[in-house]
Amino acid sequence: MNAPAEKLTSAVIEVENLVTYYGEQQVLDDVSLTVNEGEIMVIMGGSGSGKSTLLRYLLGLHQPDSGVVRLFDKDITDLSGSEWMAIRKKMGVSFQGGALFNSMTVGENVCMPLREHTRLDENTMRIMSRMKLEVVNLSGFEDLMPSQLSGGMLKRAALARALIMDPSLLFFDEPSAGLDPVVAADLDNLILNIRDAMQVSIVVVTHELQSAFKIADRITVLDQGRILMVGSVDEVRNSDIPRVRNLLSRTSEEQVVDADEYLRRLTGIVD
């Protein structure tokens, strides 16, 4: 008897040999990774590791100096305006601070993508907005202003807006930042529930270890613009790579400073 065939999963994101610079400073160095359909990929690393920069390139906000970024099997540097717009309609983004418009109600904020990209009537948009607010446990809050929401509620309202177009790919930038542990845990559960209910692929950029270990299918660990490893939660937990171990244990990496070299750098004197 033949063994059952393995279920094949297709990649929604493919990054190959991505190299980027800010001026003369190299920020990402030969980064390659794949995000598969239906998985939660967590990108983590310390401050200055390049994780937020990588997110901007995945969102198509910058063009790589070299390398390839593919979304849904399309090289995003080789798309026409209309092709790129079609890709963007399949993506949702939940920004770190929520990025809601303070002059609009919560419901109006959630409706914004529908107003920009569809010709739906007002009543239909309001119904869809309420449905997505129900998904993120904010039913009945559509008429409040963002200033009337707590930090956790702002994050969930931003998530409702990211979901309003029923995306296939969802991005989170530091979803747990600034939240107390209970609210952060609730948001982690919400992310897992949304992935399972909507069959959406998710990329999460975070420095929160507890959140990363709870929600991730796989974790990409960045350091100084390079990928240290990509693996499952258990593989990352048990890694013997020193810099990964330091990140997990929050161990500082003190550098020994040569006093003479330091003085030469300050004075500009070169031997």
Side-chain angles (χ1 to χ4, degrees), residues 40-153:
I40 298 178
M41 171 67 81
V42 170
I43 299 172
M44 61 182 293
S47 178
S49 62
K51 58 186 186 296
S52 294
T53 299
L54 176 56
L55 177 62
R56 287 193 285 272
Y57 281 88
L58 296 181
L59 293 173
L61 300 179
H62 301 297
Q63 297 293 317
D65 292 285
S66 66
V68 178
V69 177
R70 295 189 189 91
L71 300 178
F72 305 105
D73 206 32
K74 303 285 187 181
D75 183 345
I76 65 174
T77 63
D78 196 32
L79 298 177
S80 65
S82 60
E83 289 172 329
W84 180 229
M85 183 59 67
I87 292 289
R88 289 200 174 202
K89 289 179 181 179
K90 299 168 68 173
M91 298 162 49
V93 186
S94 182
F95 295 101
Q96 180 175 344
L100 300 183
F101 295 98
N102 291 325
S103 60
M104 297 180 179
T105 67
V106 170
E108 289 169 340
N109 269 282
V110 175
C111 280
M112 277 296 294
L114 296 177
R115 296 187 191 283
E116 292 183 11
H117 301 299
T118 74
R119 296 182 180 180
L120 296 172
D121 61 83
E122 287 293 325
N123 190 50
T124 301
M125 287 192 289
R126 280 196 297 270
I127 292 172
M128 293 179 66
S129 173
R130 289 170 184 163
M131 289 173 63
K132 290 304 187 284
L133 287 170
E134 179 88 29
V135 168
V136 301
N137 302 317
L138 282 180
S139 178
F141 290 85
E142 60 268 15
D143 294 327
L144 294 185
M145 304 301 290
S147 60
Q148 296 175 287
L149 302 183
S150 67
M153 294 167 72

Side-chain angles (χ1 to χ4, degrees), residues 10 17-18 25 37 60 85 118 184-185 197 209 219 226 229:
S10 58
N17 310 115
L18 178 63
Q25 178 68 41
E37 196 174 64
M85 183 59 67
T118 74
L209 294 178
I219 297 175
R226 295 186 64 88
M229 70 173 298

